[in-house]
Amino acid sequence: MDHPPPPFPNLQKLAEGDSPPQGPKFTPDWSTVHPEQKWHILWHQKRFTLWALYSAIGGVMFGFDFGLAGTLTALPAFQRVYGKPYASQSSGYLVPANYQSGWAGISMGGLIVGVLLGGQLLERLGRRHSLAMGAGLTGIGVGIQLGSVEWKLFLGGRGVAGRLPIGFGLALTEFPVWIGENARDELRGLYLCLINGSIVLGQSALAWCAKGTSAIEGVWSYRALIVLQFVFVVILVGGYPFYPESPHYLLSKDQTAKATKALTQIHGSGDPSLIDAELSRISANVRSSKEVQASAAQKGPLLLQCFRGTNLKRTAIAILPVAAQQLIGAPFVLGYVTYFLELIGITEYFIVSTVLYAVMLLANISAFFFIETAGRRPLIVYGTVILTLLLILMGIVGYISMSAAKWAVVVLIFLWSIVFQLTLGAIGFAIGSEISSLPLRASTQSIVGVTQGFMGWLVGFISPYLINPDAGNLGAKVGFVFAGFGVPLCVAFWFLIPETKGLGFDDMDYLFARKVPCRRFSEEIRQRRAAEVPATLDKEKGGRTGEAQPVVQVEV
C-alpha cells in the first residue's frame, strides 16, 4: 500500500544527517517551507520581487509626500508666499505654527478616511484596481497644490493628495495586503520590510531633490518638488495594465483560472511546480479563511471580531508598533528635520538633511537582512530602549548653550535615525501584517492604518507648536517630550511583542489559541516542531506516530 508523502520531508532529510543543498541552482520543494534556505529561495523569487517593488511605489509616493510640507517650510520662497513677516528669520518671513499644524492635520486625518474606505474597496474592487484608483486621486490633489497661492487652498490640495478620500491611504493599504497574501513564509518578513523601506526611499528622494531645487530662485524652488509627485502617479498608472491581481483575492472569488494566470505573471512559467504549489498553498489559506469567516459572520461584522477574544491581543500587537513609531518622534524627525535644523542654526541644513536621509536609507536596507536573522522581537524591544535613551540625551543637550551643542544634537538625530530604521521603523509594519489571522487581515490592516494616521496626526499637529519660534520654541528639549512616550512603550513591548520569524499563520493560530505568552513563542514552537519530527519518522517506518497534537479551535 502506498504511503502519502511525509508532511515535513525537509525535516526528515536534516534528521537523517543530510546537508541542505547549496547554491542558486538549488530548486526547493515548493510544497514545504524551507526557512534555512531563505536566501536561495529569494534567488528563485526574482519576478515576485519585481512586482513587490512596483507595489511599493505607493509607499515611495507616501514617503515623498509625508515630508513635503516640512521641507517646503524651510524654503525661503515658500516662506514668502505662505508666511508672515518675522524679523528673526533669514528670509524675513515665518510660516505660522497653526498653518503647519493644519497641513499636517488634514494629511493624516485624510489618511484615516482613506484607509477606512480603502479596506472596503480592496475587497470590492480588488488590489490591482484599488491601487490605480488611489494613484489617480493623488494626481488630482497634487494638481490643486501646484495651483495654490494661498494657505487654505494649499490645505485643500493636501487633503486630496494626502489621502482624502482614498489617495495614498489606499496605496499603503494595498501593498501589505498583497504581500501578506502572496509571499511565502520564508521571505514574508523581508518583503514586508519594503513597506518602511519604500517610505524612507521617498523621504530620501525628497531631501535630494530639495537640495537641488533650493538653488532655484523664486516660486519654482518649491513648485518643482510638488510637480515631481506626478512621476509616481505616472509610474503606477502606466504599470496598471500589467500589474497582476492578488491570486488570494481571485481564489476568494472562486476564479481559479484567473488566479493561475496571475501566479504565472508573478512567478513566470519556468517552474510549473512552483505555480502548482503556490496555488495549493493559497487555496488552502482561502478555504480556511472562508470557513472561519462563515463562523465569524454569525457573531457580527469582521471588524468587531478584531476586538474579541484572542483577536483583541493580536490587534493590540499589530497596532502597538505603528503607534510607537509616531509617539517616539518619527513624524518630527522624518517630517520636520530640515526645518528644525534651520531653526537651531545649522547653516547648510539641506546638505545635512540629504546626508541624513541617505544614511537612513542604508540603515533600512540593512534591516531587510536583520529581520530574518536577528528576528522581530529583539529588534523592536531593544531598539526602542536605545531610541528612548537617545531622546533623553537630546533633551539634556537642549539645556547647553554652547555653540557646539547644536552639532551634538545633529549627531544624536543621526544616531536616532539609524537605530530607528534598523529596528522599530522597519519592523513595525511587518509585525502588523503578520500577526493577524488570515480572515481578519484586511480588517486588521485598516485598523493599523487608522492607528498610524491618528497618531501621526497627533504628533504632526503638535510638532510645529513645540519647535516654532512663535510657539513653544523648545529646540532640542523636544527630546524629553518623545522620551516620555518611549518609557511606557519599552515596558509594553517587553510583554506584548512576540517573535514571528519563520512562523506560518497556522503556527500563530496555534500559539494564540493556547494563550502562550508572547515572550515564549519561539520556545513553544521549537518544542512543537521537535515533537513533529520523530512522529513523522515513525509514521514513515510504519511504527507509532506518537501522541497526536490536540486540535486547536481558532477563535475569530
Side-chain angles (χ1 to χ4, degrees), residues 212-234:
T213 63
S214 64
I216 300 174
E217 294 291 336
V219 295
W220 281 101
S221 63
Y222 69 85
R223 284 185 176 176
L225 295 177
I226 299 174
V227 170
L228 284 172
Q229 292 182 98
F230 284 117
V231 173
F232 308 120
V233 176
V234 169

Side-chain angles (χ1 to χ4, degrees), residues 56-73 75 107-108 138 142 145-146 154 158 161-163 168 171-172 195-213 220-233 235-236 331 334-336 338 350 357 360-361 452:
I57 293 172
V60 180
M61 185 168 62
F62 172 77
F64 195 97
D65 175 83
F66 184 83
L68 184 63
T71 300
L72 295 181
T73 306
L75 290 166
S107 290
M108 299 312 293
T138 297
V142 172
Q145 292 180 62
L146 184 61
F154 190 80
R158 296 292 298 162
R163 286 74 72 188
F168 295 157
L172 276 180
I195 302 172
N196 190 67
S198 63
I199 294 173
V200 176
L201 179 60
Q203 293 164 341
S204 302
L206 172 63
W208 301 331
C209 293
K211 175 61 178 69
T213 63
W220 281 101
S221 63
Y222 69 85
R223 284 185 176 176
L225 295 177
I226 299 174
V227 170
L228 284 172
Q229 292 182 98
F230 284 117
V231 173
F232 308 120
V233 176
I235 294 174
L236 285 176
L334 303 179
Y336 289 93
T338 304
F350 271 116
Y357 280 112
M360 282 197 290
L361 183 60
Q452 180 199 21

Side-chain angles (χ1 to χ4, degrees), residues 97-110:
N98 63 316
Y99 289 13
Q100 297 182 51
S101 293
W103 294 333
I106 197 169
S107 290
M108 299 312 293

Side-chain angles (χ1 to χ4, degrees), residues 437-450:
S437 63
L438 278 171
L440 301 180
R441 184 192 289 114
S443 298
T444 303
Q445 204 60 45
S446 294
I447 297 170
V448 169
V450 169

Side-chain angles (χ1 to χ4, degrees), residues 346-365:
I346 303 299
T347 306
E348 299 295 335
Y349 50 89
F350 271 116
I351 294 178
V352 174
S353 63
T354 301
V355 175
L356 174 64
Y357 280 112
V359 170
M360 282 197 290
L361 183 60
L362 292 174
N364 187 264
I365 292 172

Side-chain angles (χ1 to χ4, degrees), residues 230-484:
F230 284 117
V231 173
F232 308 120
V233 176
V234 169
I235 294 174
L236 285 176
V237 174
Y240 162 70
F242 313 100
Y243 182 46
E245 180 57 87
S246 167
H248 186 282
Y249 172 80
L250 293 171
L251 288 170
S252 71
K253 303 299 182 183
D254 298 321
Q255 299 178 8
T256 305
K258 290 184 177 180
T260 303
K261 181 180 179 181
L263 283 168
T264 304
Q265 284 182 269
I266 294 171
H267 299 288
S269 57
D271 189 350
S273 65
L274 171 59
I275 305 300
D276 293 340
E278 287 299 279
L279 187 65
S280 176
R281 178 183 69 85
I282 298 174
S283 296
N285 288 339
V286 169
R287 286 194 300 271
S288 175
S289 296
K290 285 186 174 181
E291 290 172 1
V292 181
Q293 282 178 336
S295 175
Q298 301 175 3
K299 304 176 184 179
L302 291 179
L303 189 64
L304 295 181
Q305 304 305 313
C306 296
F307 300 98
R308 294 176 179 171
T310 57
N311 288 314
L312 175 60
K313 185 175 183 179
R314 298 175 81 154
T315 302
I317 295 170
I319 66 177
L320 188 59
V322 295
Q325 289 174 347
Q326 313 302 316
L327 292 173
I328 209 161
F332 169 71
V333 174
L334 303 179
Y336 289 93
V337 67
T338 304
Y339 181 53
F340 178 72
L341 291 173
E342 180 192 17
L343 291 179
I344 65 173
I346 303 299
T347 306
E348 299 295 335
Y349 50 89
F350 271 116
I351 294 178
V352 174
S353 63
T354 301
V355 175
L356 174 64
Y357 280 112
V359 170
M360 282 197 290
L361 183 60
L362 292 174
N364 187 264
I365 292 172
S366 301
F368 286 25
F369 303 95
F370 285 127
I371 190 174
E372 295 296 350
T373 53
R376 283 68 153 164
R377 177 178 166 83
L379 290 176
I380 287 184
V381 174
Y382 299 118
T384 305
V385 171
I386 297 173
L387 290 172
T388 303
L389 293 174
L390 289 172
L391 288 168
I392 293 173
L393 288 175
M394 185 185 300
I396 294 173
V397 173
Y399 284 97
I400 301 174
S401 58
M402 297 172 57
S403 60
K406 64 183 181 182
W407 289 107
V409 173
V410 172
V411 171
L412 288 170
I413 290 175
F414 267 77
L415 291 174
W416 185 96
S417 301
I418 292 170
V419 175
F420 179 81
Q421 297 301 340
L422 282 172
T423 58
L424 184 60
I427 316 302
F429 290 105
I431 283 284
S433 298
E434 287 182 318
I435 207 69
S436 62
S437 63
L438 278 171
L440 301 180
R441 184 192 289 114
S443 298
T444 303
Q445 204 60 45
S446 294
I447 297 170
V448 169
V450 169
T451 302
Q452 180 199 21
F454 176 76
M455 292 301 178
W457 168 83
L458 176 65
V459 178
F461 185 84
I462 67 173
S463 289
Y465 288 102
L466 294 175
I467 64 174
N468 236 42
D470 65 337
N473 199 23
L474 289 180
K477 293 189 286 291
V478 73
F480 284 133
V481 176
F482 298 115

